[in-house]
Amino acid sequence: MTVSSRRFAERPGAVPFSFEVYPPRTPDATAALHESVERLADAGPRFISVTFGAGGSTGGRSLELLRHIRESTDVEPLAHLTCVGHTTARAEALVREFLDAGIDRFLALRGDPPAGLGEDDVFRGELTRAADLVRLIRRVRAERGIHDGPGAPDIAVAAFPNGHPRARHAHHDVDVLLEKQAAGATFAITQVVFRADDHLAFAERARRAGVHIPIVPGIMPVTSPARLRRVLELTGEREPTDLALDLELAPDADARREVGVAHAARLARALLAGGASGIHLYAFNVHDTVLAVLREAGIPTHEKETAR
């Protein structure tokens, strides 16, 4: 085990960073993911978040991975939970299941429709808004003696600098973030951003409207044209034309990786220079690319201290 990531995050001048991973989709992928988690943890993140991939009525592989992070590293795991398709009773049961495993930090998400369904289909369940899930998590935690206040475990939420596809008007996303803050959210992580100005302008609008929780930009090092197209399809973000062109012109996979790392590192530097409170990196279950982004962006990690 390495120097505590919590102490690292508290060092004067340290840049807080975090990672997102997802549960292994096959048993064969588990060992490789555990190696990547170890390397990510060695870097000293504030937390490693795990996307929700529940099976049946349990946390399934998500909980297995969260438990692995908690038991084998000194980094705090953060569990994604979604409203989609959950009754209130099932959501409460899931929160209790995570708490029983020692997982008390959450990212509360409304969630997307299941594959093949659209916004007009009935899929939501009893919880329809992320703010509902935030309140539910706080209530269930309070039943276990985990109360709000300084030092309480975080409840994160999502933010959308360029507007959620369901946004009804120009200020809708700020209004929703204010609602999540009022429900008890302690910080927000944005959907992937490709332009620093998009995030910084949104953060400024949110501050003027009364949002005081940190808004952490989500950065995804994209290393292939196919992945970029898929990300844009899923998020509705505008194409970053410079990144798209550079990826198309790169002669091979190594060159495309360099393009993706360089773009993400420039973005991280610009965001931090503009006042962002940290960065959240989407790792795609691979450690080397996101760690290269941190190195190229000049963000200190524990990597040298823990090199093997």
Side-chain angles (χ1 to χ4, degrees), residues 266-305:
R266 288 195 301 272
L267 177 58
R269 289 194 297 269
L271 286 163
L272 294 170
S277 56
I279 59 170
H280 183 66
L281 289 157
Y282 299 97
F284 287 107
N285 285 16
V286 177
H287 60 273
D288 55 354
T289 303
V290 289
L291 295 179
V293 171
L294 293 176
R295 288 193 297 271
E296 189 158 332
I299 297 173
T301 72
H302 285 335
E303 276 193 286
K304 292 181 181 180
E305 297 176 32

Side-chain angles (χ1 to χ4, degrees), residues 63 67 93-103 144:
L63 182 54
R67 186 182 286 115
L94 283 167
V95 174
R96 291 190 181 97
E97 184 178 18
F98 286 126
L99 292 174
D100 287 342
I103 312 301
R144 299 292 185 90

Side-chain angles (χ1 to χ4, degrees), residues 176-199:
V176 170
L177 187 54
L178 281 166
E179 179 187 16
K180 295 173 183 177
Q181 176 178 275
T186 56
F187 73 97
I189 301 171
T190 74
Q191 180 173 259
V192 59
V193 292
F194 292 109
R195 302 169 182 82
D197 288 348
D198 290 348
H199 172 85

Side-chain angles (χ1 to χ4, degrees), residues 76-226:
E76 294 289 354
L78 183 143
H80 292 215
L81 280 180
T82 62
C83 296
V84 167
H86 288 169
T87 64
T88 299
R90 185 184 178 213
E92 289 177 351
L94 283 167
V95 174
R96 291 190 181 97
E97 184 178 18
F98 286 126
L99 292 174
D100 287 342
I103 312 301
D104 56 12
R105 289 161 170 78
F106 296 91
L107 172 58
L109 302 165
R110 184 264 196 180
D112 296 319
L117 296 181
E119 287 297 327
D120 294 330
D121 294 303
V122 177
F123 67 89
R124 292 186 180 86
E126 294 177 353
L127 299 170
T128 62
R129 305 172 71 82
D132 297 334
L133 188 52
V134 171
R135 284 186 284 266
L136 183 148
I137 291 168
R138 290 176 57 212
R139 176 169 56 79
V140 176
R141 291 199 318 190
E143 293 171 1
R144 299 292 185 90
I146 303 172
H147 299 288
D148 299 334
D154 283 310
I155 302 177
V157 291
F160 299 87
N162 288 320
H164 194 282
R166 292 181 296 276
R168 295 191 297 271
H169 51 76
H171 303 290
H172 179 81
D173 294 284
V174 171
D175 291 344
V176 170
L177 187 54
L178 281 166
E179 179 187 16
K180 295 173 183 177
Q181 176 178 275
T186 56
F187 73 97
I189 301 171
T190 74
Q191 180 173 259
V192 59
V193 292
F194 292 109
R195 302 169 182 82
D197 288 348
D198 290 348
H199 172 85
L200 297 174
F202 173 78
E204 178 59 27
R205 292 197 304 275
R207 295 284 175 257
R208 289 199 302 266
V211 174
H212 56 75
I213 60 175
I215 305 172
V216 181
I219 298 178
M220 181 181 294
V222 180
T223 56
S224 76

